[in-house]
Amino acid sequence: MAKAKTHMNLAFIGHVDHGKSTLVGHLLLLEGAIAEQQLDEGEDKFRFVMDKLGEERERGVTIDLAHAKFETQKYEYTVVDCPGHRDFVKNMITGASQADAAVLVVAANDGIMPQTKEHIFLSRTLGINQLIIAINKMDVIDYDEAKFNELKEELGKLISTVGFKPSEVPFIPVSAFEGDNITEKSSNTPWYKGNTLIQELDALDEPDKPVNLPLRLPVQDVYSITGVGTVPVGRVETGVLHTAENIAFEPAGVTGEVKSIEMHHETLEEAVPGDNVGFNVRGVGKNDIKRGDVAGTTKNPPSVAKEFKAQVVVLQHPGVITVGYTPVFHAHTAQVACTFLSLDVKLDPATGQPKEENPDFLKTGDAALVTIKPTKPMVIENIKEIPHMGRFAIRDMGQTVAAGMCIDITQAK
């Protein structure tokens, strides 16, 4: 059967207490994706919706990575970030690399927090080009227009530092709890002349479908289902996954045949970029592959890097980065400790032009070309060839210290 609506993956980003869960919960309720009965009573009634959906996934046979889905007149949306998660930034890294657009939630009474900044930098580095800003908790500041405009201006300056044009980004005054300007214009903000959140979501551009690139499907989980067999689950990043096709998983180095593909409890003949699918593979055991492996065709398998050259930006580091530094790299669904083998060229962060050859160290705010060696085999692709598989974030000490992209690979033989 034909899929009617274009599918969009949406990340909700922003500081932990700024109301992301409540906004997602209320949006799902208003769009009919959940029933009132699923809500808990009291203050946090929307927040628990997201946590409950996470548990449901554990029980189902078709594993749908979507934490939540809703439809509008134009698109079918999957919320790819479950805001209730403990380690949100780690999720944000794997989640945002899969999002077609992001909704940044900023509380009007709190303003810009360090996490707000981190999420904006990350989403941009991970390739999100479409952004909507929801200025939340307007009810807490009595729907004050002046406060809204002040925060809008500050946020405008912040997003322009990473290349978003404030004039092209909608800023919407919302109350996630009361429901203002989510699906209907609110009488509490008569001064606001723009669209509701739903209208702005439907105004997003359709995501590009990189169907002509080689197949790349990072594995998020692997299940063993009685009567079916091994079922890896993940999102097609590029190319097309077909049934009866021979595929290779790297760096696991195993191959098998795709027997069936399922999405949202429906059987598909093929899966295209953006589809979150579970697929049964003959000839591959549950323990042969794991999260972080990537599936490609046997004719054009994923690249396993022995070393790679990268362009990185240091977002925040308490000290300095020198040769030998070995933090954890998050690329697609993989997390691999990697060592900085050499710092090759320091770049001017604003222009990207070379500034200094072989610098001794890198600090917060620096951009550079570096050579990296993974401590164990990992799949990464040249950003010019398969952009969706070429980005990564670098984490250390519980925070994201840098982000970057792969520009050249020495393949492991």
Side-chain angles (χ1 to χ4, degrees):
M1 61 175 256
K3 281 182 274 181
K5 289 182 187 170
T6 298
H7 183 236
M8 285 280 250
N9 284 323
L10 199 56
F12 279 75
I13 63 177
H15 188 67
V16 64
D17 292 323
H18 282 191
K20 290 187 298 274
S21 304
T22 308
L23 184 58
V24 171
H26 208 145
L27 182 64
L28 294 171
L29 178 71
L30 291 170
E31 285 298 303
I34 51 169
E36 189 83 54
Q37 296 86 318
Q38 281 175 274
L39 300 181
D40 294 82
E41 288 308 306
E43 262 311 273
D44 278 345
K45 63 179 179 180
F46 298 110
R47 174 174 293 171
F48 297 109
V49 172
M50 294 306 275
D51 295 339
K52 280 208 177 100
L53 287 161
E55 291 161 23
E56 285 171 18
R57 225 181 85 201
E58 297 303 308
R59 298 195 293 269
V61 173
T62 307
I63 304 90
D64 181 357
L65 291 164
H67 298 281
K69 297 218 315 292
F70 64 97
E71 282 189 31
T72 59
Q73 288 183 315
K74 188 173 171 191
Y75 292 125
E76 179 189 26
Y77 291 94
T78 297
V79 177
V80 290
D81 267 322
C82 187
H85 272 233
R86 261 46 83 216
D87 188 352
F88 186 72
V89 174
K90 193 178 290 177
N91 244 37
M92 158 82 200
I93 290 163
T94 50
S97 60
Q98 311 171 332
D100 300 308
V103 177
L104 172 68
V105 182
V106 186
N109 56 336
D110 249 3
I112 295 170
M113 303 297 270
Q115 241 183 347
T116 315
K117 291 184 178 166
E118 186 180 5
H119 289 183
I120 289 173
F121 276 119
L122 267 175
S123 58
R124 191 57 165 176
T125 311
L126 294 166
I128 291 180
N129 300 320
Q130 303 195 73
L131 183 67
I132 292 170
I133 296 181
I135 295 183
N136 189 24
K137 304 196 183 181
M138 289 301 294
D139 52 319
V140 179
I141 61 159
D142 299 323
Y143 302 98
D144 184 327
E145 183 183 6
K147 283 188 179 157
F148 171 81
N149 285 334
E150 197 180 314
L151 185 50
K152 177 178 170 178
E153 190 157 325
E154 285 177 38
L155 283 161
K157 286 183 184 140
L158 177 61
I159 64 173
S160 58
T161 61
V162 294
F164 284 110
K165 291 191 178 122
S167 60
E168 292 172 6
V169 172
F171 293 80
I172 310 168
V174 302
S175 162
F177 194 72
E178 300 295 340
D180 298 285
N181 295 323
I182 297 177
T183 55
E184 288 179 13
K185 290 295 275 285
S186 168
S187 56
N188 292 319
T189 54
W191 43 267
Y192 173 65
K193 301 293 181 257
N195 287 333
T196 61
L197 178 57
I198 282 292
Q199 287 171 320
E200 288 298 353
L201 288 174
D202 273 354
L204 290 165
D205 294 331
E206 279 203 20
D208 224 10
K209 287 229 186 284
V211 288
N212 298 330
L213 291 174
L215 171 69
R216 293 294 180 267
L217 191 158
V219 175
Q220 294 199 346
D221 285 302
V222 186
Y223 296 84
S224 185
I225 295 175
T226 315
V228 179
T230 303
V231 178
V233 168
R235 175 183 189 256
V236 180
E237 288 294 329
T238 58
V240 182
L241 177 71
H242 298 279
T243 46
E245 184 167 46
N246 288 323
I247 56 171
F249 293 89
E250 294 294 356
V254 295
T255 59
E257 184 191 353
V258 180
K259 295 309 293 172
S260 61
I261 305 169
E262 251 192 41
M263 179 166 80
H264 306 331
H265 306 283
E266 281 180 25
T267 304
L268 305 177
E269 282 303 305
E270 58 174 46
V272 296
D275 287 348
N276 286 309
V277 294
F279 56 108
N280 169 233
V281 189
R282 177 187 286 167
V284 175
K286 180 180 189 298
N287 299 327
D288 296 343
I289 51 175
K290 60 183 188 303
R291 181 185 171 91
D293 286 339
V294 179
T297 61
T298 45
K299 292 189 188 82
N300 191 337
S303 307
V304 180
K306 187 170 121 191
E307 288 175 16
F308 62 95
K309 288 200 184 306
Q311 182 172 326
V312 298
V313 180
V314 185
L315 300 173
Q316 47 175 1
H317 197 284
V320 295
I321 290 176
T322 53
V323 168
Y325 177 51
T326 308
V328 177
F329 279 55
H330 292 248
H332 50 87
T333 57
Q335 299 173 18
V336 178
C338 298
T339 302
F340 281 74
L341 280 189
S342 61
L343 309 180
D344 307 322
V345 185
K346 197 147 105 179
L347 305 170
D348 179 334
T351 62
Q353 293 304 308
K355 224 166 54 168
E356 182 189 344
E357 299 273 325
N358 307 112
D360 293 332
F361 61 84
L362 302 173
K363 60 181 192 322
T364 300
D366 284 348
L369 300 177
V370 295
T371 303
I372 301 294
K373 186 175 181 58
T375 56
K376 61 179 194 194
M378 81 180 265
V379 167
I380 193 153
E381 301 287 353
N382 187 325
I383 193 103
K384 289 193 197 64
E385 291 163 17
I386 308 181
H388 313 73
M389 298 291 297
R391 301 174 196 282
F392 55 83
I394 301 174
R395 289 193 37 98
D396 191 14
M397 303 162 290
Q399 61 179 1
T400 304
V401 293
M405 50 194 188
C406 166
I407 53 177
D408 193 24
I409 299 172
T410 306
Q411 296 231 21
K413 288 296 172 275

